[in-house]
Amino acid sequence: MVPTVLVPGLLCSAEVFAPQSAALWSDSPVMVASTLKGQTIEEIAFFTLWIGAETWAQ
């Protein structure tokens, strides 16, 4: 099953997506990306995909 990845704004937390996560979870796994890992958008994307790949491979 293909996971859904939600990316909050740089000054937001995963709490922003709590209602959406609950609603989407029945259709597929949901991951909320951390915008705290990395100094640039590219680094944030890299860490999101890297951590996500480890999570989804299990």
Side-chain angles (χ1 to χ4, degrees):
M1 185 169 286
V2 177
T4 300
V5 180
L6 303 173
V7 182
L10 295 177
L11 297 176
C12 297
S13 69
E15 293 174 8
V16 168
F17 289 121
Q20 293 89 340
S21 295
L24 292 170
W25 191 256
S26 63
D27 296 328
S28 68
V30 177
M31 174 185 172
V32 179
S34 172
T35 55
L36 301 176
K37 298 188 185 266
Q39 297 295 316
T40 65
I41 296 296
E42 290 82 7
E43 289 177 359
I44 292 169
F46 172 80
F47 285 116
T48 298
L49 294 174
W50 182 50
I51 292 169
E54 289 180 352
T55 302
W56 302 321
Q58 296 176 356

